[in-house]
Amino acid sequence: QVQFVESGGGLVQPGDSLTLFCEASGFTFSDYAMSWYRQGPGKERESIAEISGGGTTTYVDSVKGRFIISRDNFKNMLYLQMNDLKPADTAVYYCNAPVRSWNTWGRGAQVTVSS
């Protein structure tokens, strides 16, 4: 079955960097575009970065220039390099395919940015 395991979250200070990891299984990873999503306190989950199977990336404006999404199709891994973190980036971060036939989500990785 489809599974996602997010890791790498933590408590950091404004301006710090952090890398998130997503282990995906149960589907042909390289066939799917993949996205990072986040859900901040009291907010709905939103997509913030997407990468195609071939590596083309898109970002929402709030993270553009600070976050980098990447993938390793051999390891079925998705990554999110987050730089210059801000308190507004505080959220639970999830990975998933933007176009999918399953309704499965991982537990997410908590990222807290606070001084």
Side-chain angles (χ1 to χ4, degrees), residues 7 29 40 45 49 65:
S7 62
F29 183 75
R45 185 157 48 199

Side-chain angles (χ1 to χ4, degrees), residues 3-101:
Q3 287 187 325
F4 301 100
V5 180
E6 298 93 351
S7 62
L11 172 63
V12 297
Q13 295 187 338
D16 284 353
S17 297
L18 202 61
T19 298
L20 300 183
F21 304 86
C22 167
E23 300 178 63
S25 61
F27 63 103
T28 306
F29 183 75
S30 58
D31 285 351
Y32 287 79
M34 291 295 297
S35 291
W36 281 100
Y37 301 77
R38 68 183 181 188
Q39 185 167 15
K43 298 181 180 180
E44 293 189 354
R45 185 157 48 199
E46 62 170 339
S47 175
I48 59 170
E50 181 176 321
I51 185 167
S52 70
T56 301
T57 58
T58 57
Y59 302 91
V60 295
D61 287 346
S62 59
V63 307
K64 195 176 296 181
R66 299 188 298 122
F67 291 11
I68 300 172
I69 186 173
S70 61
R71 65 191 296 162
D72 185 330
N73 288 338
F74 294 102
K75 297 181 179 179
N76 288 4
M77 291 289 297
L78 186 71
Y79 308 97
L80 186 67
Q81 172 69 42
M82 303 185 293
N83 303 310
D84 189 22
L85 282 160
K86 306 177 185 301
D89 297 318
T90 294
V92 180
Y93 286 71
Y94 304 87
C95 60
N96 213 325
V99 178
R100 59 189 180 268
S101 59

